[in-house]
Amino acid sequence: MIRQTMRHPGLNLGRDHGQAHDHVETIVFGFWVFMMSDLIIFGLMFATYATMQGSTAGGPGPVELFDIKSAFFQTMLLLVSSLTFGGASLAMRHHMGAGRITLWLVVTFALGGGFLALELRDFAAMIGQGAGPWRSGYLSAFFGLVPLHGLHVSAGMIWIVVMIVQIRVFGLVPAVKTRLLRLALFWHFLDLIWIGIFSVVYLGGLA
Amino acid sequence: MSDEHSDFRADLRQYLTGFALALALTLIPFALVWWNLAPRAVALWIIAGLAILQGIVHLRYFFHIDLSRQKREDLQLILFSLLILAMMAGGTIWIMANLAQRMG
């Protein structure tokens, strides 16, 4: 069971993983410190966005700018990618081999790529109609918040590629396993932040 | 395999349960806005409530965090960060909204 002898929040590997399990506690704790400081950055970008509601300076607002269909597909891609990363985590925890882990990582990477493609298409359309970050305080806040999340997704995708290479080169040694654990936390974290973005920015703007 | 090491199915069920709940909590607010099912003020409260619920679902099923743990430092870190965030974000919104109102 996942619940017993937890050493850190997040999926624990279990005692049969030896060193990767025994030394992981401080490493993962440090990563949580990073994620929580990242959370505060996002939180303050949300606060800025909230205070800029209505500061459109005569420019377009949420109703003119957002396409709920695109926001919905982005949300679905990211949510499914959280599940597929769970597949990679479980394949690692239950010793199903490097091939299975890599397969799930590739699927997760593809879903992340789909998400980014839709998001960039939306940004391009907005900028194409003159609604870039320079247009109004509202749009500055929007382009401070949402692309910051997209940047994190890009970083996560680069990290996935790095880990696929590391699995091939080093095999499933303890260091690689604990890195995969942290990448899993990071990827789930991105989906957690996205809940705030689709609720506040897209649904809140269009409701 | 040690006994704590479990069965794969139980672990998988955790992720699938989390996914199903998260999916429902995503579809409801999107449906609400897509088909304009509620007046704006009501819709905003529902969206906010469901977003918080979905956050809890993610923490519980994807991050595997719950309140019954021997290791408490991590939970304290998370809760303290949330406290700081609530003060900074809440304070920002409060003060700036107040200012906007006075200047308006």
Side-chain angles (χ1 to χ4, degrees):
Chain A
M1 286 303 224
I2 289 173
R3 319 274 231 90
Q4 284 155 341
T5 57
M6 296 286 283
R7 282 169 187 266
H8 55 82
L11 187 72
N12 280 224
L13 285 174
R15 248 177 245 136
D16 55 328
H17 283 270
Q19 206 196 342
H21 184 59
D22 297 334
H23 293 184
V24 78
E25 193 181 326
T26 46
I27 291 173
V28 174
F29 183 73
F31 195 71
W32 272 95
V33 173
F34 156 71
M35 285 203 299
M36 290 300 103
S37 46
D38 215 19
L39 179 73
I40 287 175
I41 293 175
F42 272 111
L44 292 178
M45 295 308 288
F46 273 110
T48 309
Y49 183 83
T51 62
M52 285 292 177
Q53 292 282 326
S55 309
T56 52
V63 180
E64 294 85 42
L65 293 170
F66 301 149
D67 171 18
I68 192 172
K69 210 178 286 180
S70 173
F72 177 72
F73 286 126
Q74 290 172 44
T75 304
M76 285 297 117
L77 285 170
L78 216 50
L79 184 57
V80 174
S81 83
S82 243
L83 183 66
T84 58
F85 208 114
S89 299
L90 287 183
M92 172 166 68
R93 183 172 199 246
H94 293 280
H95 307 280
M96 292 172 171
R100 188 78 76 90
I101 299 172
T102 306
L103 182 68
W104 282 119
L105 288 178
V106 169
V107 173
T108 308
F109 180 89
L111 290 165
F115 167 86
L116 266 189
L118 284 179
E119 185 165 66
L120 288 174
R121 199 195 56 174
D122 284 0
F123 292 160
M126 286 171 74
I127 290 170
Q129 65 184 81
W134 56 85
R135 181 62 188 84
S136 64
Y138 167 74
L139 279 163
S140 300
F142 173 89
F143 278 98
L145 172 62
V146 184
L148 181 67
H149 175 271
L151 206 59
H152 278 73
V153 174
S154 320
M157 287 173 63
I158 293 170
W159 193 359
I160 288 178
V161 173
V162 170
M163 289 320 300
I164 290 173
V165 172
Q166 289 197 358
I167 290 172
R168 273 199 85 87
V169 174
F170 303 124
L172 287 171
V173 295
V176 169
K177 286 185 187 175
T178 61
R179 281 170 201 156
L180 277 170
L181 278 184
R182 280 169 281 172
L183 176 54
L185 289 173
F186 185 69
W187 197 263
H188 291 310
F189 174 72
L190 295 182
D191 200 18
L192 190 68
I193 299 293
W194 185 255
I195 298 173
I197 293 184
F198 82 70
S199 299
V200 172
V201 177
Y202 292 105
L203 295 182
L206 295 173
Chain B
M1 284 236 178
S2 58
D3 55 305
E4 80 180 65
H5 221 245
S6 82
D7 94 288
F8 171 70
R9 288 170 165 278
D11 284 2
L12 184 64
R13 203 176 306 128
Q14 288 255 325
Y15 278 97
L16 291 176
T17 309
F19 179 74
L21 289 173
L23 188 65
L25 290 168
T26 301
L27 290 178
I28 295 168
F30 266 99
L32 203 65
V33 175
W34 200 308
W35 289 298
N36 260 316
L37 299 178
R40 181 169 161 81
V42 180
L44 288 181
W45 279 108
I46 296 175
I47 291 166
L50 293 178
I52 290 168
L53 274 182
Q54 194 182 345
I56 293 169
V57 165
H58 280 230
L59 287 173
R60 170 74 185 75
Y61 292 99
F62 293 157
F63 290 89
H64 312 290
I65 292 170
D66 62 28
L67 298 173
S68 56
R69 258 319 110 66
Q70 301 109 321
K71 293 287 173 192
R72 305 315 294 261
E73 296 92 338
D74 309 77
L75 190 61
Q76 284 163 0
L77 168 71
I78 294 166
L79 292 175
F80 183 68
S81 306
L82 290 178
L83 175 70
I84 295 286
L85 182 61
M87 290 196 295
M88 293 201 294
T92 302
I93 294 169
W94 182 13
I95 290 171
M96 294 307 287
N98 195 287
L99 193 65
Q101 199 182 5
R102 281 162 196 275
M103 299 208 333

